[in-house]
Amino acid sequence: MIQPLGEKTRGASYRPDIDGLRAIAVSSVLLFHLDVEMFSGGFVGVDVFFVISGFLISRLIKDEVEKKKFSFSNFYVRRARRLFPALFFTFVVSFVFALLMFSPQHFERFGGSLLHAAISLSNFYLWSESGYFDLESSVKPLLHTWSLSVEEQFYLFWPIVLVTLLRTGFKYGVPIFLMISGAFSLYLNQVFLDGRVSFISDLSSTVAEWIKEGPATIFYLAPFRVFEFAIGASLVWFVHTQPKSRIVSDVIFLTGLVFIAISVVFYTKETLFPSYYALLPCVGAALVIYSGGNAVFSSKLLNNKVAVNIGLISYSLYLAYWPLIVFYKYYLYDELVARDKIIIVVASFVIAYMMYYFIEQPFRRPRYTGGAQSKGAVGFICVSLTLLVVVLGAYVWVNSGWKWRVSRGADLGDVYGLDEHAKKNVLHDHYKKINRWSAVLDFGDKKDILIIGDSHASQYYWMANYLYEKYGLGTTIFSSSGGCPPIFNTYNLYDVPEAIKNEPEIQLACKRQTRIWEEFVEENAMRYEYVILSARWDLMFERGIYFKKRPPHHLLVDKDDPKFSVADSKRTFKKRLAETIDKIKKLGLTPIVFGQVADHEIPLWKCDNFQLILYSEKGLTKRCAIVPKSLVLKRLAWVTNTIREIASSSNVATMFPTDFLCDNEGEYCRTHYEGARLYNDGNHVNKGGALYLAYRWSISDIFPFR
């Protein structure tokens, strides 16, 4: 964020109310990222900072140009001294914690973000990934540096333009430029919002592909933020018209504060931003600054020691809070509760004060470091340290996040005796994409087994590989994405109740897919002996998620008799699953129904990706135990019992993964074996999990292929 300007360093031009405004901005951002309910729009604090920056930088340049003291070298050296030391410290500390804590995948992405943040292109890197508010943002400790990159890009062109216009001597040159550039920037927000810009599409399909995510484009890129800086800069040319009446100043001040408060309280992550929505907090910040600090309420709310001191450390606080949240949550591997949030707030302030007094201040005022360094020395140090960070980030980025750091446990391919060829990634050799929603995996020339279903069918490709290598059983996995059930004459309703009338593409694809499966089984009945049905069955019946309740999101719908309730969904399941099994049997095939993998809800792909310096192997396994076994089995109870009932009456075989994953002693279902994690996310097994289930099934009494 914009660097704090200490009272003693600014003399008569210093405005403590602006530091107070900074305190509001940084506190709003901090509380927003801690998911404090009243601060759902706290991200607008960044926009308040942009307005402040536009005002202070433009005022500084204007004053020095008019006094014929302005020097580009002096300007950039001051920026470097104020911004770089604390930022470099943040890079180093974040790197150390990421090195110790992050999985290879997350450390690899950290390397990319570190490289780009060091060269002030963090906003471009994050734009390419998109998602300031998405789930993955929670594992990006340098996410907040996007705004620093925008500001540093502003520093590159703004002084040049401003100085050029000021030196022309044309009195209205700068105000006209501010008005035009600000209006054009706001206009660009509207043009690029939906990601479809015809003239760019005509010029370059590559660029058109880059900007197709319109909301991310206008959020991250500097041209779409220029109007915010321009609003702040324009104040420099209006500040001499500040009202002399304190009553008028109070009205202006309170109006501005209300504008900011409305956006902080009522904006949400879903608000399209910046666009014209950013005008409310930006104009609010401008009004607060314009009131001149002369308002009575300003002195009480912004000029007090608490607000001013928070404002003074706002840059360090902004740098410190987000990495602290990321690493705290990554270690905790759980949602933050009130106690955790209080710890983070206190720690953020303590770290910020230490950074301010021991890093910011000494480097901003050279007398604390034994004398004033030359401009060349400052430039050399900054460039050298930047190159060091860039090389380090690039080395991590291109080397897959240093996988050697993390203990991965046993290779279950070795444990279960697969040869070297079989242990290779079978997807490369056997995968065939059918369309956007479905794919086929084939093992062996002679086909014995057909597995159909959603991603809970495709997760078993290592099981198919095991059956082929160990028993010579050729297998085809014909899967569809998105929870489409392998039950003939049905479909998954994907969004209750919206999708009843306005069907999304995935729902239409599922309607087609269940018919495609039925036809495929009919046409290939002579090729196979067994048909396995596997899906995430409970997706269509479960009304809530663990520990919370919500309305049903998915339903199983009968194509011939569409009804839309959980009770109807369950009736359809019983009827149509029995009919599907019966049809498969009449075709001369042997049906087998798989139950559902234990659902842990929270993804497990990062729970054990720690070095043992932080956790013991036993501690890592314990860390992955999220949902008690009793809740897992309770959630699956209805669908498990129903499948058992139908299978028993139809005399068909079943395999329930929970029989092998939850047969252990203890409070939680098994998530690891021989030190290897068995899950890819919260409800899909990975290679190890599929091999573990294949082995346990093969030595059980219910294995049908001996």
Side-chain angles (χ1 to χ4, degrees):
M1 287 336 307
I2 182 70
Q3 70 285 354
L5 301 173
E7 183 171 359
K8 293 180 181 179
T9 65
R10 304 313 302 163
S13 65
Y14 173 68
R15 291 202 25 199
D17 61 303
I18 292 181
D19 271 328
L21 184 58
R22 285 197 187 99
I24 291 176
V26 75
S27 299
S28 298
V29 177
L30 169 58
L31 295 175
F32 161 74
H33 278 117
L34 286 174
D35 294 322
V36 177
E37 188 174 351
M38 290 295 292
F39 290 81
S40 61
F43 55 86
V44 303
V46 172
D47 307 272
V48 172
F49 274 116
F50 286 161
V51 173
I52 294 172
S53 185
F55 171 70
L56 292 178
I57 295 303
S58 299
R59 184 182 67 171
L60 173 68
I61 293 172
K62 180 176 181 292
D63 289 348
E64 291 192 349
V65 168
E66 289 177 347
K67 294 175 182 177
K68 302 188 184 301
K69 291 183 178 180
F70 182 81
S71 162
F72 283 105
S73 60
N74 286 339
F75 176 83
Y76 289 114
V77 166
R78 285 199 299 265
R79 300 282 77 71
R81 281 178 173 157
R82 286 173 175 168
L83 296 175
F84 191 76
L87 182 60
F88 181 75
F89 176 78
T90 303
F91 290 159
V92 171
V93 174
S94 296
F95 179 85
V96 171
F97 277 92
L99 174 69
L100 293 175
M101 297 176 68
F102 273 4
S103 70
Q105 298 92 330
H106 292 142
F107 194 49
E108 177 183 350
R109 293 172 67 179
F110 173 81
S113 66
L114 179 64
L115 185 161
H116 287 83
I119 57 176
S120 301
L121 293 176
S122 181
N123 57 329
F124 282 90
Y125 179 74
L126 293 166
W127 168 56
S128 69
E129 292 191 323
S130 296
Y132 184 65
F133 303 120
D134 65 16
L135 180 64
E136 282 298 289
S137 69
S138 65
V139 291
K140 297 176 181 177
L142 298 180
L143 173 75
H144 60 332
T145 60
W146 75 269
S147 62
L148 296 177
S149 293
V150 169
E151 195 157 338
E152 287 155 4
Q153 290 157 23
F154 166 74
Y155 290 154
L156 288 178
F157 84 90
W158 198 258
I160 297 172
V161 173
L162 210 55
V163 170
T164 301
L165 290 173
L166 286 169
R167 286 177 175 172
T168 62
F170 179 45
K171 182 178 180 181
Y172 301 106
V174 175
I176 291 173
F177 168 75
L178 292 174
M179 184 168 58
I180 294 174
S181 62
F184 185 64
S185 172
L186 193 57
Y187 169 73
L188 289 178
N189 273 260
Q190 308 311 309
V191 172
F192 283 78
L193 183 58
D194 65 359
R196 295 189 295 271
V197 185
S198 57
F199 75 89
I200 289 181
S201 299
D202 294 339
L203 290 174
S204 171
S205 58
T206 302
V207 177
E209 181 69 18
W210 291 347
I211 65 168
K212 69 177 182 179
E213 296 294 336
T217 299
I218 67 173
F219 187 91
Y220 281 115
L221 301 189
F224 305 97
R225 299 280 183 167
V226 167
F227 74 94
E228 300 179 348
F229 292 101
I231 288 173
S234 64
L235 292 170
V236 177
W237 278 261
F238 291 98
V239 74
H240 64 279
T241 65
Q242 288 170 328
K244 296 179 180 179
S245 168
R246 285 204 163 188
I247 295 177
V248 176
S249 293
D250 273 331
V251 171
I252 294 173
F253 170 79
L254 290 175
T255 300
L257 214 56
V258 167
F259 283 2
I260 296 172
I262 289 173
S263 56
V264 167
V265 174
F266 293 104
Y267 285 4
T268 68
K269 296 175 182 179
E270 285 70 45
T271 303
L272 290 173
F273 211 81
S275 188
Y276 52 82
Y277 288 103
L279 290 175
L280 191 62
C282 289
V283 171
L287 290 175
V288 170
I289 296 171
Y290 181 70
S291 69
N294 297 321
V296 174
F297 287 105
S298 174
S299 62
K300 292 181 179 179
L301 296 175
L302 299 185
N303 291 7
N304 64 81
K305 288 185 177 180
V306 173
V308 170
N309 282 327
I310 294 174
L312 288 171
I313 66 164
S314 60
Y315 178 53
S316 287
L317 183 58
Y318 184 79
L319 289 175
Y321 87 92
W322 180 246
L324 186 59
I325 290 175
V326 169
F327 293 122
Y328 189 96
K329 289 181 70 174
Y330 203 91
Y331 186 82
L332 187 67
Y333 198 61
D334 203 351
E335 293 301 313
L336 300 178
V337 298
R339 179 192 62 185
D340 301 315
K341 294 176 182 181
I342 292 171
I343 290 172
I344 289 173
V345 169
V346 172
S348 296
F349 274 90
V350 170
I351 294 170
Y353 269 107
M354 294 178 68
M355 288 174 63
Y356 177 72
Y357 285 108
F358 295 108
I359 298 175
E360 277 195 73
Q361 290 293 82
F363 285 95
R364 282 166 60 188
R365 291 196 266 281
R367 63 177 180 275
Y368 290 153
T369 57
Q373 299 95 345
S374 68
K375 298 174 187 176
V378 172
F380 176 78
I381 292 171
C382 289
V383 170
S384 299
L385 291 178
T386 298
L387 286 175
L388 176 64
V389 171
V390 166
V391 170
L392 192 61
Y395 191 65
V396 172
W397 196 22
V398 301
N399 284 282
S400 304
W402 297 356
K403 293 181 179 179
W404 51 264
R405 299 172 303 115
V406 178
S407 173
R408 292 185 170 273
D411 185 331
L412 296 190
D414 291 329
V415 173
Y416 298 129
L418 295 185
D419 62 29
E420 288 303 316
H421 174 73
K423 287 191 294 180
K424 293 179 180 179
N425 189 343
V426 295
L427 277 175
H428 291 167
D429 299 328
H430 306 280
Y431 178 82
K432 180 182 179 182
K433 188 79 172 175
I434 302 300
N435 54 46
R436 181 182 176 187
W437 306 108
S438 61
V440 169
L441 283 150
D442 270 318
F443 299 89
D445 297 326
K446 176 181 175 294
K447 298 298 183 291
D448 301 282
I449 304 168
L450 170 65
I451 304 177
I452 59 174
D454 59 10
S455 59
H456 280 236
S458 60
Q459 69 179 337
Y460 291 124
Y461 63 83
W462 277 103
M463 176 185 285
N465 196 42
Y466 179 89
L467 295 176
Y468 177 65
E469 293 292 325
K470 290 292 186 180
Y471 299 96
L473 294 168
T475 302
T476 297
I477 301 177
F478 189 178
S479 64
S480 178
S481 60
C484 190
I487 302 177
F488 303 155
N489 213 31
T490 68
Y491 66 92
N492 187 346
L493 182 72
Y494 282 85
D495 193 8
V496 180
E498 286 79 5
I500 295 175
K501 292 184 178 179
N502 301 310
E503 295 189 282
E505 185 179 350
I506 188 173
Q507 184 166 302
L508 295 171
C510 183
K511 279 186 173 181
R512 295 189 297 268
Q513 187 64 44
T514 53
R515 179 58 187 164
I516 290 170
W517 277 325
E518 185 174 5
E519 292 173 349
F520 187 86
V521 172
E522 292 171 346
E523 294 167 4
N524 294 275
M526 300 300 293
R527 295 181 62 200
Y528 301 98
E529 292 185 37
Y530 301 90
V531 177
I532 296 176
L533 309 176
S534 181
R536 188 179 179 184
W537 307 112
D538 84 320
L539 187 69
M540 297 165 288
F541 317 115
E542 181 58 45
R543 294 188 65 87
I545 56 180
Y546 295 121
F547 316 120
K548 296 179 182 179
K549 284 292 180 184
R550 58 161 172 75
H553 188 63
H554 294 260
L555 292 174
L556 181 67
V557 180
D558 191 318
K559 290 181 181 178
D560 295 337
D561 186 22
K563 294 179 180 178
F564 309 106
S565 71
V566 173
D568 291 315
S569 190
K570 289 183 175 181
R571 281 191 289 270
T572 299
F573 181 77
K574 288 183 177 181
K575 175 186 176 184
R576 292 302 190 183
L577 178 58
E579 291 177 356
T580 299
I581 290 172
D582 187 57
K583 178 160 189 175
I584 292 171
K585 291 177 70 174
K586 287 180 178 178
L587 290 169
L589 298 163
T590 301
I592 301 172
V593 183
F594 278 9
Q596 187 174 314
V597 169
D599 190 343
H600 297 274
E601 195 159 287
I602 299 175
L604 301 184
W605 37 255
K606 66 180 182 181
C607 68
D608 64 346
N609 280 312
F610 271 74
Q611 293 191 79
L612 296 183
I613 191 173
L614 295 174
Y615 275 105
S616 66
E617 193 165 303
K618 183 177 179 181
L620 285 178
T621 302
K622 185 178 179 181
R623 187 170 183 261
C624 295
I626 305 298
V627 183
K629 185 190 302 182
S630 59
L631 288 180
V632 170
L633 298 179
K634 181 180 179 181
R635 176 172 180 156
L636 295 177
W638 184 88
V639 72
T640 298
N641 293 335
T642 301
I643 291 174
R644 289 190 194 276
E645 177 186 327
I646 295 172
S648 177
S649 63
S650 302
N651 194 29
V652 301
T654 58
M655 191 281 285
F656 291 91
T658 49
D659 289 346
F660 306 124
L661 294 170
C662 300
D663 64 338
N664 56 311
E665 294 182 0
E667 185 182 355
Y668 299 92
C669 292
R670 184 180 288 107
T671 58
H672 287 67
Y673 182 72
E674 297 286 342
R677 179 164 36 88
L678 304 178
Y679 283 82
N680 185 43
D681 53 19
N683 63 85
H684 294 87
V685 291
N686 58 13
K687 168 188 173 182
L691 290 174
Y692 174 81
L693 288 174
Y695 173 74
R696 288 291 306 274
W697 187 29
S698 70
I699 63 173
S700 71
D701 294 336
I702 61 173
F703 189 64
F705 306 126
R706 290 191 182 90

